Amino acid sequence: MRYFLLAIFLLVSSPFIAAQDNNGISAQVNVSAEIIQSIELITVNSMRFGNANPGQREIYVNPINSLNAGFMIAVGTPDAEFRLNYLPERELTQIDGNATLTFTYEISGNPEENQSTSELLELDNRNIQFNSEGRYYIWVGGRVNLENAAPGNYEGDFTIEIDYI
């Protein structure tokens, strides 16, 4: 019974070449596997906001030049291509209340650890590449409209998805 199950597994999962001669049947099975390193996303700094001033309508953190931008490092296979995806709008919830704010994220990236030369990454499904050390640097910013905001502290999560191509 064990031999029978093994034979079915080989037929279903692997290409093979079988030949029959006078002594029985022989088979040649070609098997290959490609192991891809997982991607690690390291948060170095979270995005920071100062206190809003009375009458201020918007808070904006520019991911290309603001020192308040969040900073992350994606670590993966050197020189491999990947795609990056995220939800551009997230709801922030008031910590001690029921109010919410909508935050619109902007992210920039660079294969070099240089925020000022990073480029804005739109959700255009384009290929991005890790550098030769397997790193890609990401800065997170965005904007929130404060016109109808209730006073208080707000929090929310930002999720970024990175997949090899």
Side-chain angles (χ1 to χ4, degrees):
M1 184 67 173
R2 180 180 280 173
Y3 178 77
F4 178 70
L5 291 175
L6 179 61
I8 287 180
F9 174 74
L10 290 176
L11 289 174
V12 173
S13 68
S14 301
F16 70 99
I17 301 168
Q20 184 170 3
D21 61 19
N22 293 340
N23 297 332
I25 297 175
S26 65
Q28 177 183 347
V29 178
N30 295 323
V31 178
S32 66
E34 182 178 347
I35 310 271
I36 297 177
Q37 177 182 343
S38 63
I39 298 173
E40 182 180 4
L41 194 56
I42 302 165
T43 301
V44 179
N45 292 322
S46 295
M47 190 176 3
R48 296 178 308 275
F49 296 107
N51 291 326
N53 297 321
Q56 187 175 353
R57 295 181 164 195
E58 180 181 76
I59 294 177
Y60 178 60
V61 175
N62 187 322
I64 296 175
N65 60 27
S66 175
L67 297 177
N68 291 327
F71 177 49
M72 297 186 284
I73 304 171
V75 180
T77 303
D79 299 316
E81 290 188 339
F82 63 93
R83 287 206 176 129
L84 191 136
N85 195 11
Y86 65 97
L87 292 175
E89 287 190 357
R90 295 296 290 200
E91 194 172 81
L92 304 179
T93 307
Q94 189 179 30
I95 294 173
D96 295 323
N98 298 342
T100 60
L101 295 172
T102 302
F103 191 85
T104 304
Y105 287 94
E106 291 182 1
I107 63 173
S108 67
N110 196 342
E112 299 175 14
E113 190 176 351
N114 187 338
Q115 181 181 5
S116 65
T117 61
S118 65
E119 63 177 296
L120 206 56
L121 299 174
E122 303 289 337
L123 289 174
D124 55 3
N125 222 14
R126 71 182 179 110
N127 297 356
I128 303 170
Q129 189 171 12
F130 287 107
N131 66 18
S132 61
E133 296 162 354
R135 293 178 176 259
Y136 191 80
Y137 302 93
I138 300 167
W139 290 268
V140 181
R143 62 184 72 241
V144 63
N145 185 321
L146 300 175
E147 288 183 37
N148 299 316
N153 294 318
Y154 292 79
E155 66 182 0
D157 293 324
F158 176 64
T159 303
I160 190 167
E161 204 175 286
I162 300 176
D163 296 310
Y164 286 109
I165 299 175

